[in-house]
Amino acid sequence: MQTLRQELTDRDREIAGKDEESERDKQTLRQELTRKEAEVTRAEETIRREQQQIQEMRQRETELVQAKDREIALQQQLGEKEQQIQEMRQRSQQSASYTCQVSGPGLTSATVNQPTHVLVQLTDSSGRPHSPPLNVTAQLELVSKATRTTTIWPWSKKQETLPNESHVSVAMTSPSQYEVSYTPVSRGQHKLHVQVNDREINSSPFAVTMYPDPRQLGHPVRTVTGLNLPYGIVFNSHQEMIVSEYLGHRVSIFDIRGQKIRTFGSHGGNPDKMKLPAGIATDDTDNIYVSSWHKLQKFTSSGELIKCIGQLGSEEGEFDVPRGVTLYDNQVYVCDRDNHRIQVFDLDLNFVRSIGSRGKGRGDFDAPLDVTFDTAGNMYIAEFSNGRVQVMDTSGQFIRVFGQEGEGKLHGPSGLHIADNYVYVSDYSGHCIVVYETSGQFVTSFGRRGQEEGEFPFCITSCAGGFIHVC
């Protein structure tokens, strides 16, 4: 029994020893597992870093390929640029061997729907004709907008759609001369570009003004009635129409819709009244200047009298039936009809000088009825009794005369207006409007005697918005 107990004790000790050894083994295994897991984690981190490095290397490889492609493209562009530069140098060397002389009627102005041309003469450095053929091209560019609103005074407005350009052709008329031909299709400011070997020639582009064809004028648009013998007509800065009513002894003003806004004047003895108003003009501040019975009056735009001068006589500042009035260079020019002269005043109506005397020679006048100026400052005078238009400079020196003979002969010129490089003359006795170039060359005429639209018992003209206005 004692022995059996000893064996059981020994076995318990053996089992406890084995359990302790097993626990140590487990602990060792746990430590080994933890170490292995740490190694796996470090390996995975290393793999991730390597994968990231591989991705970055692939991205850099892609960027290098793209950079290489860009380099190749830039090299190609550089080669093209070098080729273009070489071609430009060659053209420059060719161009350096010639000069251009440009002339012709279409160089600065032209008329719509009328063909015109410009000549380009090529010469070498010694002035001799340049014989080798060159590539000459031309283009006409419209400077103003493609659309334009025009007021058909005083009733409505219309929208014009303007063509972008006119057809331009270039023809070689000789080995050294080229003709640039075009027919303008829209009026207004244009630029004419002329190139030789794709390079603009000297002074190109040229500024060209396209004027409307006066032969297309003369068709009545509207008629305003109810005026008592309208004589003069002018427009202020608001496009209001201002009319002097000769037998109404007043001035009437209409708005852009054609509605009468106000009148002022009426026959009477006071200075602010008027008798038989005729010539009329406005200044930059819309003051109104009116010639009436032996007087010259200045009014505000609302009709308040500013100053009145004149009486019957032939001295300075006196008048004998004054007629046309116009303003130029801050001076007032008045046609003193029966004194056969032009009197000039400043804007305060102080006398400045007198131009002309009665006669039929150069610089003489016989019943001047109207005066106006062109853009060059030349003065045009309509002489009723001499049946002519005389052109003088502002100092009174004779330049030329026209309208006395041949086609376009005047019978009694009474009104003048210059617009679009043309002179429009009211022929009182001929009951028509006669149109000339500023050189005096006859262009056309329209109108006839009668009481219907387009027929004139009396003619005094003005021009605004591309339309002729006839009293």
Side-chain angles (χ1 to χ4, degrees), residues 79-356:
E80 293 174 356
K81 291 292 184 183
E82 289 177 348
Q83 183 177 357
Q84 291 175 1
I85 291 172
Q86 184 64 25
E87 292 175 354
M88 291 175 63
R89 286 174 178 170
Q90 291 176 355
R91 287 196 298 268
S92 178
Q93 291 174 356
Q94 293 175 352
S95 301
S97 63
Y98 67 84
T99 57
C100 297
Q101 295 179 350
V102 187
S103 61
L107 191 60
T108 57
S109 63
T111 300
V112 172
N113 297 326
Q114 298 295 318
T116 188
H117 69 276
V118 173
L119 294 178
V120 180
Q121 181 72 46
L122 305 174
T123 59
D124 59 22
S125 57
S126 63
R128 293 174 299 183
H130 189 83
S131 56
L134 298 170
N135 181 30
V136 179
T137 58
Q139 180 185 9
L140 198 61
E141 174 191 358
L142 180 64
V143 177
S144 54
K145 294 182 179 179
T147 60
R148 176 171 58 211
T149 299
T150 302
T151 300
I152 307 177
W153 176 264
W155 305 272
S156 62
K157 293 183 178 181
K158 74 172 183 178
Q159 188 77 15
E160 291 182 281
T161 300
L162 301 177
N164 289 330
E165 61 179 25
S166 303
H167 176 68
V168 181
S169 62
V170 180
M172 185 172 67
T173 56
S174 71
S176 63
Q177 182 173 275
Y178 295 79
E179 183 178 87
V180 179
S181 303
Y182 66 91
T183 301
V185 297
S186 60
R187 69 188 190 191
Q189 296 297 318
H190 289 65
K191 289 182 180 179
L192 178 62
H193 297 265
V194 181
Q195 302 91 19
V196 176
N197 289 346
D198 299 326
R199 192 184 74 169
E200 295 269 349
I201 66 173
N202 48 291
S203 301
S204 180
F206 302 94
V208 184
T209 302
M210 306 303 178
Y211 297 109
D213 188 353
R215 297 168 185 83
Q216 299 176 358
L217 299 173
H219 306 290
V221 179
R222 291 289 189 277
T223 301
V224 176
T225 60
L227 298 169
N228 196 347
L229 209 161
Y231 187 101
I233 179 171
V234 71
F235 293 84
N236 64 18
S237 62
H238 304 291
Q239 286 304 297
E240 294 172 339
M241 183 172 69
I242 308 171
V243 182
S244 60
E245 296 185 57
Y246 187 77
L247 293 183
H249 309 290
R250 65 186 179 184
V251 170
S252 297
I253 303 176
F254 299 83
D255 65 18
I256 199 166
R257 298 181 301 275
Q259 301 297 317
K260 184 179 289 187
I261 303 173
R262 59 187 175 275
T263 62
F264 61 89
S266 297
H267 183 32
N270 298 329
D272 59 342
K273 304 301 181 180
M274 60 182 66
K275 178 182 179 181
L276 303 175
I280 190 166
T282 60
D283 60 21
D284 292 339
T285 57
D286 288 339
N287 293 319
I288 302 171
Y289 301 77
V290 183
S291 67
S292 56
W293 189 247
H294 313 310
K295 293 191 298 184
L296 177 63
Q297 295 168 288
K298 178 179 180 179
F299 298 88
T300 66
S301 59
S302 60
E304 297 176 2
L305 181 68
I306 298 175
K307 189 173 183 179
C308 175
I309 64 169
Q311 61 181 1
L312 178 61
S314 58
E315 300 298 322
E316 295 178 355
E318 296 178 341
F319 302 101
D320 192 352
V321 190
R323 283 294 180 256
V325 179
T326 194
L327 270 67
Y328 180 76
D329 197 22
N330 291 324
Q331 292 186 327
V332 185
Y333 290 74
V334 183
C335 291
D336 193 358
R337 189 191 73 179
D338 289 353
N339 281 326
H340 311 287
R341 64 186 179 181
I342 307 292
Q343 290 201 70
V344 186
F345 303 86
D346 63 21
L347 296 183
D348 293 325
L349 304 191
N350 298 308
F351 178 82
V352 176
R353 66 185 182 279
S354 178
I355 303 173

Side-chain angles (χ1 to χ4, degrees), residues 4-52:
L4 183 58
R5 288 191 184 99
Q6 183 65 38
E7 288 178 356
L8 287 171
T9 300
D10 292 340
R11 282 182 179 277
D12 288 339
R13 289 174 180 170
E14 185 179 353
I15 289 170
K18 287 183 178 182
D19 288 341
E20 185 179 351
E21 183 179 356
S22 177
E23 187 63 33
R24 287 195 297 271
D25 290 342
K26 288 180 180 179
Q27 185 66 28
T28 302
L29 287 173
R30 288 190 188 97
Q31 292 175 353
E32 182 67 20
L33 180 60
T34 300
R35 187 179 60 79
K36 292 294 186 182
E37 287 177 348
E39 290 178 355
V40 169
T41 299
R42 288 193 297 272
E44 288 177 345
E45 182 65 27
T46 301
I47 290 171
R48 282 196 297 271
R49 287 197 300 271
E50 290 177 349
Q51 287 177 341
Q52 184 177 358

Side-chain angles (χ1 to χ4, degrees), residues 307-467:
K307 189 173 183 179
C308 175
I309 64 169
Q311 61 181 1
L312 178 61
S314 58
E315 300 298 322
E316 295 178 355
E318 296 178 341
F319 302 101
D320 192 352
V321 190
R323 283 294 180 256
V325 179
T326 194
L327 270 67
Y328 180 76
D329 197 22
N330 291 324
Q331 292 186 327
V332 185
Y333 290 74
V334 183
C335 291
D336 193 358
R337 189 191 73 179
D338 289 353
N339 281 326
H340 311 287
R341 64 186 179 181
I342 307 292
Q343 290 201 70
V344 186
F345 303 86
D346 63 21
L347 296 183
D348 293 325
L349 304 191
N350 298 308
F351 178 82
V352 176
R353 66 185 182 279
S354 178
I355 303 173
S357 58
R358 187 170 191 175
K360 298 184 179 298
R362 295 182 174 184
D364 296 330
F365 301 135
D366 196 343
L369 290 189
D370 205 4
V371 57
T372 191
F373 291 82
D374 63 18
T375 55
N378 296 319
M379 181 170 56
Y380 294 67
I381 303 98
E383 298 180 63
F384 181 82
S385 297
N386 277 334
R388 66 185 183 182
V389 174
Q390 193 168 179
V391 185
M392 312 171 76
D393 62 23
T394 52
S395 66
Q397 296 299 311
F398 174 85
I399 297 177
R400 60 181 171 272
V401 67
F402 58 88
Q404 288 183 296
E405 58 185 17
E407 195 174 20
K409 177 179 173 59
L410 297 169
H411 299 87
S414 56
L416 284 171
H417 192 83
I418 297 179
D420 297 326
N421 213 33
Y422 293 100
V423 184
Y424 297 85
V425 183
S426 302
D427 193 355
Y428 172 82
S429 300
H431 306 282
C432 63
I433 305 296
V434 188
V435 187
Y436 303 86
E437 295 178 356
T438 52
S439 63
Q441 178 66 41
F442 171 76
V443 177
T444 188
S445 64
F446 57 89
R448 61 186 180 276
R449 185 170 187 169
Q451 301 291 330
E452 302 300 323
E453 289 189 353
E455 298 177 340
F456 305 134
F458 184 79
C459 306
I460 294 289
T461 65
S462 181
C463 182
F467 293 88

